[in-house]
Amino acid sequence: MKAEQERAIMSRYDFRKPAVRAIYGFVVLAIALISVSMLYPFVNTVLNSLKSTQEFFEFPAPFFPSEWHWSNYKESFGYLNIPMHFKNTLLIFVGNTVFSLVVLGLAAYGLSHMQVPFKKAVTLYFMCTLLIPAASYLIPNFLNLKDLDLLNRYWAFWLPAGANAFYLMLLKNFFDGIHKEMLEAARIDGASELRSFAMIAVPLSMPILITITMLGFSTTWNDFYWSSLVMQEDMQPLAAAIYTKIIYAGSTINWNVRFAILSMTLLPPAVIFLFFQKYIVGGLSAGAVKG
Amino acid sequence: MAMQVQPQAPAKADAPLAHASLGRRMKKYAWGSLFLLPAVLIFLLFLWVPIAKGIGYSFYQVDFVNGNTFVGLQNYQEVLGNPDFYTAIKNTLYYMGLALVIGFWVPIAMAIGVSELKWFRGPARIIGYLPSIIPAIVLYGMWQWFYDPIGPINTFLNFLGLPSFDFYSKEHAMFSLVILETWQNFGSATLIYIAGLSAIPKDMYEAAELDGAGVWGRIRYVTLPGIKNLILLLLVLQLISTSQAFQSQLIMFGGGPDNGTLTYLLLTTREAFTYFNFGKASAMGVLMFVFLVVFSLLTIKLRKGDDAA
């Protein structure tokens, strides 16, 4: 959308060579094909969820269902209490968000704008944990939650949500960009530290708070393995319930019903992505480039 | 106000701070410490304590009913004596290698290609990122069908007159997984590379072209060196994440066929949550931890040395 004459690797002169043009054409074609292959599974999943079982196995399978079988969706509710599991996911997400933003927000603000004893050591104490591989932490974390008697409780998600060095880093980086003078002014006007945090730092930091909320949503919505270990039966969030009951190696539930459940699970993140695209992509590059 | 004295305040107000009494200094730190305290406690309780415990548990036979018994190095001996342990390491390395060969260069090529597009650049980025928003469990559910012997991919192959491809056989299982994970993940890496590419000054291409470098030469000597650090960073991140892979292997193949997709972490979770050998699983976790921390420190050191040079 920027000025058309802005060049990248290739200049207009290059396009006069037939070989370059051929390769360029090939690249464009490849990108187009890849784009189609990216979109196809989405469309296919939704359309498959509306086919009858018979039509599903027709060979070659028709792309569009001849009749839209919404009954698959109805049937899927018989396999899974979707509203209940959805509610569980939401509860975990909301608690995680509140807890992590309050605990990490205070800490990040403290590190960036307040006088703190042993600042270097404390920062290291937090940031070191970025190096801990999730893999080696899975089993001890489970045993720890068991020792604390937190298994099968929402607190098993809410409390550990505050122990996230990556979010802490994002918040601190953002707070570092807030001018000290603004907070000075508030202090001189007699605002308490808590007040200047809540009334000045937080409103200025909305972009990063939204980014973290979005990251938290996709983590909670995605996670099926860990939550299937921590939560049992009716306490499980949606993804974990799908994993234990619907999608596992050797599942025999009808494909069209499976696809109905998958389509419903796909919808919320798709909608959120459409609305919050800017923040999600922003968080991605913030994490990757600075990490 | 107690907080009158600030280090950034003008020089005059600074003077009394030098002789601040202990009480005053404590007052100075009080609020800051209070802000940090919850996070310090949470990190302790849910990160540092479990890690310490994990090391401890690796020397115990963990029994939820009768209590734990100290067994010394027995867990480690059993882990190292289990043939599956070596299968799992081999599979994990194979998977990591395959992911590099098949998947690592794709986002680089894609980013260069998309940056050269005259139009459709914005949509291409968004479309490429779309698979990343698919929840893992949905992704595996979808691909179970795509890889099915009568699923869309084999239907398409047959339509072209090609024989069906058995995505579920032991030889192809890991390959199938790498394809699906590359499909899901390359879009986000592409976005990062595109951001890196846009930071390369355009006049460098101009200069290279005037010096007679062809398109390929410009990619080779300007573009790739320009994103070298990014490539290294994403390489390290990919190695760390693929070394810990187990979820797709679990859902798509359950570790099979014939342990063909049994990765290191899948074996660890199997020890823990199928056989309830939490001690052995902890020992495997410690071994992994040591390996990955050494690897991370090594790469940090290499990068530091690189920057200095």
Side-chain angles (χ1 to χ4, degrees):
Chain A
M1 250 153 286
K2 283 176 209 158
E4 272 135 295
Q5 62 268 41
E6 191 183 295
R7 60 165 296 151
I9 298 171
M10 292 194 283
S11 64
R12 244 181 306 160
Y13 174 74
D14 289 316
F15 281 99
R16 288 191 205 152
K17 296 177 204 154
V20 170
R21 254 164 53 188
I23 293 174
Y24 185 75
F26 174 75
V27 169
V28 171
L29 190 70
I31 292 175
L33 279 179
I34 290 173
S35 300
V36 171
S37 89
M38 299 277 120
L39 290 172
Y40 171 79
F42 285 88
V43 181
N44 191 251
T45 300
V46 175
L47 292 180
N48 277 344
S49 73
L50 295 166
K51 288 177 183 170
S52 67
T53 309
Q54 189 201 353
E55 200 173 18
F56 196 95
F57 289 113
E58 255 171 49
F59 195 87
F63 188 66
F64 288 102
S66 57
E67 222 179 290
W68 291 33
H69 287 265
W70 291 102
S71 60
N72 294 333
Y73 283 82
K74 218 182 195 171
E75 205 184 318
S76 70
F77 281 76
Y79 287 100
L80 207 62
N81 187 345
I82 293 175
M84 179 183 73
H85 293 299
F86 180 70
K87 182 207 76 189
N88 293 344
T89 305
L90 278 191
L91 267 175
I92 293 175
F93 162 63
V94 171
N96 281 1
T97 307
V98 170
F99 211 80
S100 59
L101 287 184
V102 170
V103 170
L104 297 172
L106 286 175
Y109 183 79
L111 287 177
S112 42
H113 287 291
M114 291 166 83
Q115 309 222 338
V116 171
F118 315 113
K119 194 176 249 178
K120 272 215 172 115
V122 176
T123 311
L124 201 65
Y125 168 87
F126 289 132
M127 294 307 168
C128 256
T129 59
L130 282 172
L131 277 180
I132 299 166
S136 62
Y137 167 71
L138 187 79
I139 311 289
N141 194 19
F142 179 81
L143 295 173
N144 186 47
L145 291 179
K146 189 170 170 55
D147 289 347
L148 295 170
D149 200 20
L150 285 174
L151 288 184
N152 218 15
R153 289 170 206 268
Y154 291 116
W155 289 107
F157 294 93
W158 295 341
L159 290 173
N164 190 320
F166 176 58
Y167 292 174
L168 182 70
M169 184 179 76
L170 290 183
L171 283 166
K172 187 178 172 296
N173 283 344
F174 200 93
F175 288 154
D176 283 344
I178 296 177
H179 288 294
K180 296 241 184 237
E181 289 77 15
M182 235 183 298
L183 301 163
E184 286 306 309
R187 285 190 188 114
I188 289 165
D189 287 347
S192 71
E193 290 293 335
L194 213 55
R195 217 179 131 87
S196 33
F197 169 70
M199 303 308 236
I200 298 174
V202 169
L204 284 174
S205 311
M206 271 311 162
I208 195 70
L209 298 181
I210 295 176
T211 297
I212 291 178
T213 307
M214 291 300 119
L215 287 174
F217 176 80
S218 83
T219 312
T220 309
W221 195 261
N222 260 312
D223 167 53
F224 64 92
Y225 186 75
W226 175 247
S227 45
S228 77
L229 298 175
V230 175
M231 299 301 229
Q232 301 300 319
E233 299 291 328
D234 287 355
M235 291 291 280
Q236 287 188 341
L238 189 57
I242 293 175
Y243 162 58
T244 44
K245 295 199 180 118
I246 312 288
I247 307 283
Y248 45 86
S251 167
T252 54
I253 291 165
N254 270 347
W255 282 107
N256 45 5
V257 175
R258 275 195 237 179
F259 273 105
I261 295 177
L262 295 184
S263 303
M264 283 187 273
T265 316
L266 192 50
L267 189 66
V271 169
I272 286 184
F273 176 74
L274 286 181
F275 281 99
F276 292 95
Q277 199 208 98
K278 191 175 94 189
Y279 296 102
I280 294 170
V281 173
L284 177 83
S285 30
V289 178
K290 285 192 177 159
Chain B
M1 271 308 306
M3 303 303 291
Q4 276 167 344
V5 188
Q6 290 297 332
Q8 276 79 22
K12 256 190 226 162
D14 235 17
L17 185 68
H19 312 286
S21 66
L22 186 68
R24 221 153 159 201
R25 212 179 303 163
M26 275 175 60
K27 230 179 206 165
K28 186 180 85 174
Y29 284 141
W31 273 104
S33 314
L34 219 60
F35 270 50
L36 285 177
L37 191 64
V40 169
L41 288 179
I42 293 278
F43 271 71
L44 181 70
L45 201 56
F46 294 102
L47 277 168
W48 291 111
V49 166
I51 285 167
K53 272 187 186 170
I55 297 173
Y57 281 131
S58 71
F59 300 107
Y60 281 85
Q61 169 129 44
V62 178
D63 189 331
F64 292 148
V65 186
N66 301 317
N68 307 338
T69 34
F70 183 78
V71 292
L73 288 173
Q74 195 191 318
N75 285 327
Y76 288 93
Q77 282 166 354
E78 278 177 24
V79 165
L80 295 175
N82 180 359
D84 284 351
F85 177 75
Y86 301 98
T87 312
I89 291 180
K90 210 184 74 203
N91 286 341
T92 307
L93 290 175
Y94 177 60
Y95 174 75
M96 291 165 74
L98 213 56
L100 279 187
V101 173
I102 297 177
F104 186 70
W105 57 272
V106 176
I108 303 175
M110 190 71 183
I112 293 176
V114 169
S115 305
E116 289 304 304
L117 288 182
K118 298 267 180 290
W119 25 254
F120 197 59
R121 219 184 298 173
R125 283 199 269 183
I126 292 174
I127 291 172
Y129 188 72
L130 275 180
S132 310
I133 68 170
I134 302 178
I137 193 74
V138 176
L139 180 80
Y140 304 142
M142 284 156 82
W143 283 77
Q144 276 179 356
W145 167 243
F146 298 153
Y147 280 161
D148 197 88
I150 59 159
I153 296 179
N154 275 321
T155 308
F156 185 65
L157 288 177
N158 293 347
F159 171 75
L160 293 179
L162 297 165
S164 299
F165 187 82
D166 186 3
F167 289 100
Y168 287 97
S169 70
K170 189 182 177 185
E171 299 80 59
H172 300 154
M174 280 296 196
F175 170 78
S176 310
L177 290 175
V178 170
I179 294 289
L180 95 82
E181 302 213 318
T182 303
W183 179 81
Q184 184 184 34
N185 292 326
F186 87 89
S188 51
T190 303
L191 288 186
I192 295 168
Y193 282 125
I194 288 178
L197 287 177
S198 66
I200 297 174
K202 302 286 169 275
D203 26 332
M204 286 182 68
Y205 292 126
E206 200 86 49
E209 191 179 358
L210 288 177
D211 286 347
V215 175
W216 171 245
R218 272 168 256 161
I219 293 177
R220 170 76 184 75
Y221 294 107
V222 179
T223 313
L224 291 180
I227 54 171
K228 195 186 87 186
N229 282 334
L230 209 52
I231 294 178
L232 280 175
L233 174 69
L234 291 196
L235 177 69
V236 172
L237 289 179
Q238 173 170 336
L239 286 177
I240 289 177
S241 80
T242 48
S243 70
Q244 302 179 54
F246 77 103
Q247 295 193 342
S248 59
Q249 286 81 356
L250 174 69
I251 308 292
M252 299 288 289
F253 299 100
D258 187 22
N259 284 347
T261 54
L262 182 71
T263 57
Y264 189 86
L265 198 56
L266 188 55
L267 182 64
T268 311
T269 55
R270 191 184 277 180
E271 286 289 354
F273 301 107
T274 308
Y275 304 132
F276 297 104
N277 284 327
F278 284 100
K280 265 169 87 174
S282 300
M284 289 187 72
V286 171
L287 292 176
M288 184 78 175
F289 179 75
V290 172
F291 172 76
L292 280 178
V293 167
V294 169
F295 178 76
S296 306
L297 291 178
L298 229 99
T299 49
I300 289 173
K301 210 158 187 177
L302 281 178
R303 288 193 75 201
K304 278 227 176 100
D306 209 37
D307 290 345

